[in-house]
Amino acid sequence: MTIQHSIDLEAELGCPPTPFEVFKLMHKKKDGSFVDKRSNDINEAVENMVAIGSQMTDESIEAPKIDVAHIYLQAAGVEPKKRRELQEIQENLLRKNKEIQQMNEEMQKQIEEMKKGEEERLKREDEMQYKILQMEQIMCKLSHASSIYQPSAENPSRSPEVTTHTDSE
């Protein structure tokens, strides 16, 4: 769940969370208290070290940059080599998550394009079916008309009677 917590926290913060921020998220109850004494002790130790580190000795000097991740990992008792490994793992996971999100977005675009293509194909198919139906109707009318004007087998000279009207009648 640490990965998902990191991803959610990054979305909330707008930048990758520090291990300490993930720790606080994962080790607090809904009421805001820590889940156990050790978690509370680690939190207090980190906050105290950060407070001490951020105190300025001279007002003309810029405040020192505090590495909260390093302080947290030290307070939690994580060895330096393991700290680097954990940070690399977290960075890799966050990078992979971004890649997956980009791939997801690209796939969504492709799906939308495929849907549009399918809609256009169905529309053309409907148009073609309509044209086929019209052609069948025309063929039926032509067939009917040609049977009326064709000589019958009994009387090959028979053609449809044409009545002409003259003025003298």
Side-chain angles (χ1 to χ4, degrees):
M1 289 304 274
T2 306
I3 297 168
Q4 189 60 46
H5 284 94
S6 294
I7 292 167
D8 294 344
L9 200 52
E10 179 179 9
E12 183 180 320
L13 299 173
C15 63
T18 65
F20 182 57
E21 291 168 326
V22 175
F23 165 81
K24 288 194 299 187
L25 177 71
M26 292 180 58
H27 289 85
K28 280 189 175 181
K29 298 178 187 177
K30 289 183 180 180
D31 66 2
S33 64
F34 283 91
V35 293
D36 58 17
K37 183 178 179 343
R38 183 171 186 274
S39 299
N40 189 53
D41 291 347
I42 291 172
N43 180 64
E44 286 179 4
V46 171
E47 287 182 354
N48 288 338
M49 285 189 250
V50 169
I52 291 169
S54 57
Q55 291 177 353
M56 296 185 299
T57 55
D58 186 352
E59 289 182 22
S60 63
I61 300 174
E62 191 175 315
K65 180 163 173 56
I66 308 296
D67 186 354
V68 178
H70 177 76
I71 292 172
Y72 159 70
L73 293 170
Q74 188 177 13
V78 179
E79 298 173 18
K81 181 180 178 184
K82 190 72 171 174
R83 287 181 216 160
R84 283 190 301 278
E85 290 173 4
L86 289 172
Q87 286 174 331
E88 288 174 8
I89 290 170
Q90 184 180 20
E91 289 169 4
N92 285 336
L93 290 172
L94 292 172
R95 187 173 34 260
K96 291 292 182 191
N97 181 53
K98 286 180 183 176
E99 289 174 10
I100 290 170
Q101 287 175 342
Q102 289 173 343
M103 289 169 54
N104 253 352
E105 290 170 5
E106 184 61 33
M107 286 174 46
Q108 290 300 325
K109 288 178 185 175
Q110 290 176 354
I111 289 170
E112 288 302 315
E113 289 173 6
M114 289 173 67
K115 284 181 181 178
K116 283 182 182 177
E118 179 66 7
E119 288 172 2
E120 289 173 5
R121 186 191 67 76
L122 289 172
K123 183 179 176 183
R124 284 192 310 270
E125 187 177 306
D126 286 346
E127 289 171 353
M128 290 180 74
Q129 288 293 334
Y130 179 73
K131 288 178 181 178
I132 289 171
L133 180 62
Q134 286 180 323
M135 290 172 66
E136 287 173 347
Q137 290 172 346
I138 291 170
M139 294 295 289
C140 184
K141 288 178 183 176
L142 287 173
S143 174
H144 180 67
S146 70
S147 69
I148 293 174
Y149 291 107
Q150 279 189 351
S152 67
E154 301 164 359
N155 187 358
S157 62
R158 180 176 182 248
S159 58
E161 294 180 15
V162 179
T163 311
T164 55
H165 296 283
T166 60
D167 292 334
S168 62
E169 292 180 0

